[in-house]
Amino acid sequence: MKVARFLLEGKTLIGVLDDSGSVIHPLDDHLSSMTDLIRFSVSGFKFDGKGLQGIPLSEIKLLAPIIPDRNIFCVGKNYFEHAKEFAGSGFEAGAVKGKEIDEYPAIFSKPPTAIVGPDDVVEMHPEATEAVDYEAELAVIIGQSGRNIPESESMRHVWGYTIVNDVTARDRQRNHKQWLAGKGLDTFCPMGPWIVTADEIDGGNLDIECKVNGELRQKANTSDLIFKIPQLIAAISAGLTLRPGDVIATGTPAGVGIGFTPPRFLSSGDRVEITISGIGSLSNSFA
Ligand code: MG
């Protein structure tokens, strides 16, 4: 199922897309939180979106599918070629040649205030950065809560998947050493267009690509992840309870702006479109 959060006549609703992908069926007039739906769902609530009348997608505005209660968990340097391009770019604080691949996943976070939805505008923040970059990523949505989750059981905790653009201010990422300052700016986390439930797709084998103004920049498959989804869930949940609605962005492939010489940072007016097979496309302009 594709489950979306959307705006209709000023009201936020949750709904399920029909098979045509052009009509959405609201679940309940009073349900506006995806986290609540996920909590109900893991407690046994079944839904299929066939209760209320469908509305054409053209008549609603899609919102980011979920605004989690706390920071989004993110993973850095999780595709080989990207780890190399980042280390060689001069923008990785403390980079050591020959040690581009980490023994443990690099975990950081973005605040939920950074999230915007499909087609929303990402601010360039010229007062704070001169080096805005894109990062196409598959994001995992947690269902069943758990702590110290073993890799062998981790996929039972995945409720679904969506797309995230881990927008990054490279100068701030380099200058402040820890990545929150370069990753957490308002609007720096476009997410959507919806969540695809885990029963429908294999998160470990999805094609992912990113275009800037129509030009292909990133192209990979999630099977190329260095630390796979089960390893990430095990690592993040070690001593930390993952909760329904937590979001884990799994890292970006090679082809980001700093992978070019000279770097190709985003400019006002650019449009970035990320497509993941089985999910759809997330497109945002920058201004
Ligand atoms: Mg990233």
Side-chain angles (χ1 to χ4, degrees):
M1 266 182 294
K2 292 186 170 81
V3 192
R5 204 167 65 99
F6 63 98
L7 205 55
L8 176 71
E9 293 166 359
K11 193 168 182 186
T12 300
L13 296 168
I14 307 285
V16 175
L17 268 77
D18 75 356
D19 292 339
S20 76
S22 58
V23 173
I24 192 158
H25 292 263
L27 289 181
D28 181 302
D29 265 351
H30 302 290
L31 183 66
S32 61
S33 160
M34 186 69 78
T35 305
D36 284 347
L37 175 65
I38 295 171
R39 280 197 202 102
F40 297 150
S41 168
V42 297
S43 308
F45 171 67
K46 302 266 189 260
F47 63 96
D48 57 15
K50 288 177 180 154
L52 295 177
Q53 187 170 0
I55 305 160
L57 272 192
S58 56
E59 291 179 19
I60 57 115
K61 174 176 170 29
L62 286 170
L63 302 171
I66 188 165
I67 308 290
D69 296 336
R70 59 178 172 181
N71 281 23
I72 300 153
F73 297 96
C74 302
V75 182
K77 301 167 62 182
N78 204 17
Y79 288 81
F80 284 103
E81 293 307 317
H82 171 67
K84 286 184 201 159
E85 75 178 352
F86 182 43
S89 71
F91 285 90
E92 182 185 4
V96 178
K97 192 156 176 55
K99 294 199 170 174
E100 293 87 356
I101 310 302
D102 293 323
E103 189 178 348
Y104 300 94
I107 314 275
F108 62 98
S109 77
K110 288 166 97 85
T113 46
I115 296 172
V116 291
D119 286 317
D120 284 346
V121 172
V122 179
E123 296 175 54
M124 296 294 292
H125 295 289
E127 69 292 346
T129 175
E130 296 177 338
V132 178
D133 205 352
Y134 52 88
E135 294 191 352
E137 307 199 7
L138 173 71
V140 174
I141 313 294
I142 296 295
Q144 188 76 50
S145 68
R147 188 169 72 174
N148 302 320
I149 301 168
E151 285 180 32
S152 58
E153 290 176 26
S154 63
M155 297 312 283
R156 286 175 31 208
H157 295 261
V158 177
W159 195 80
Y161 301 94
T162 190
I163 303 171
V164 156
N165 187 346
D166 176 18
V167 181
T168 305
R170 295 297 180 195
D171 40 8
R172 294 176 62 79
Q173 181 181 32
R174 177 194 59 208
N175 296 344
H176 293 273
K177 310 290 192 288
Q178 213 282 344
W179 297 356
L180 184 86
K183 303 268 195 177
L185 287 71
D186 294 349
T187 73
F188 266 28
C189 191
M191 185 194 293
W194 36 66
I195 296 171
V196 177
T197 50
D199 56 318
E200 278 202 1
I201 53 176
D202 173 8
N205 182 18
L206 299 173
D207 292 323
I208 177 167
E209 66 172 44
C210 177
K211 292 178 177 173
V212 178
N213 302 326
E215 179 192 336
L216 185 64
R217 296 284 185 85
Q218 295 181 279
K219 186 174 174 59
N221 185 282
T222 56
S223 60
D224 300 331
L225 286 171
I226 298 171
F227 300 101
K228 314 291 187 199
I229 293 167
Q231 292 171 281
L232 298 177
I233 290 174
I236 293 171
S237 73
L240 183 159
T241 304
L242 282 172
R243 304 191 302 213
D246 275 333
V247 178
I248 302 172
T250 56
T252 200
V256 297
I258 50 164
F260 295 89
T261 309
R264 299 176 73 180
F265 295 120
L266 294 170
S267 303
S268 188
D270 284 346
R271 192 161 184 92
V272 178
E273 182 174 45
I274 302 168
T275 301
I276 298 184
S277 57
I279 301 179
S281 294
L282 171 70
S283 180
N284 298 85
S285 57
F286 287 65

